[in-house]
Amino acid sequence: MAAFIPPPLPSEDKRWKIVNGTMRKNGFARHALIETLHTVQSSFGYLDDDAIRFVAQSLRVPLSQAYGVVTFYHHFSLKPPGRHTLTVCAGTACYIKGADKLIAAAEERLGIAPGKTTADGEVSLMMARCVGACSRAPVALCDGEVHGEMTCRHLCEQLERWKAQ
Ligand code: FES
């Protein structure tokens, strides 16, 4: 049998690398389905058709099974998040460098908890485990773009920029 070659990442968005990392860590085994879908949910704030297809294809599970999981668990959302997504990395390296302060600042500024979207639909606040940029900790992803050595001030400035757009 020919070796299985996982499909290419859907886009350049760094968050796909995180999703891929979860699958790779599990050897692209089928039992990684729920964990991988969780990674998509926490990285992107929701799962769209492309994401579900990508995960199903990568793990070689029937698309219907992947959809079955997503619609069965209330934790998963098929609804798009806010116009912008702020993802704060809460992995060990980032945590040591003060990720908790970044999360607290974002929560206070946005008035929402991680995993939620502001009432006006502008910003979704997400948390990731490790985005693979530990040397630049603490890290936040602003619409998928990695920002290293993040400070509360920079984070608030980014939120202001989004507001002004
Ligand atoms: S722990 Fe944050 S990038 Fe690795």
Side-chain angles (χ1 to χ4, degrees):
M1 206 168 71
F4 172 70
I5 300 171
L9 305 185
S11 73
E12 293 281 300
D13 193 317
K14 296 275 188 296
R15 288 172 289 184
W16 289 118
K17 291 207 173 132
I18 306 171
V19 174
N20 216 37
T22 299
M23 297 194 285
R24 192 176 316 115
K25 183 184 83 186
N26 286 287
F28 289 90
R30 288 170 191 202
H31 65 69
L33 178 62
I34 294 183
E35 188 184 342
T36 308
L37 293 173
H38 268 293
T39 307
V40 177
Q41 171 77 41
S42 59
S43 307
F44 289 86
Y46 77 119
L47 299 104
D48 65 7
D49 186 61
D50 285 348
I52 298 169
R53 271 172 204 280
F54 170 65
V55 172
Q57 233 186 327
S58 302
L59 299 178
R60 287 168 289 171
V61 299
L63 188 56
S64 58
Q65 190 184 335
Y67 261 103
V69 169
V70 173
T71 49
F72 181 78
Y73 292 103
H74 293 305
H75 167 77
F76 295 120
S77 169
L78 291 159
K79 203 167 82 42
R83 197 158 65 95
H84 298 289
T85 307
L86 173 67
T87 308
V88 180
C89 178
T92 310
C94 289
Y95 203 83
I96 290 169
K97 292 276 185 99
D100 55 334
K101 292 193 187 71
L102 296 178
I103 294 163
E107 281 181 328
E108 195 195 318
R109 190 51 79 105
L110 295 168
I112 52 169
K116 301 281 182 226
T117 298
T118 52
D120 59 7
E122 282 296 302
V123 183
S124 293
L125 175 60
M126 298 294 151
M127 271 163 62
R129 272 190 236 159
C130 174
V131 302
C134 305
S135 62
R136 297 172 61 197
V139 172
L141 302 180
C142 301
D143 284 335
E145 190 183 308
V146 176
H147 291 249
E149 291 97 35
M150 191 53 130
T151 61
C152 292
R153 209 179 105 207
H154 281 129
L155 187 140
C156 290
E157 281 169 3
Q158 177 63 59
L159 294 176
E160 285 304 316
R161 272 198 294 280
W162 279 343
K163 218 176 185 181
Q165 277 173 9

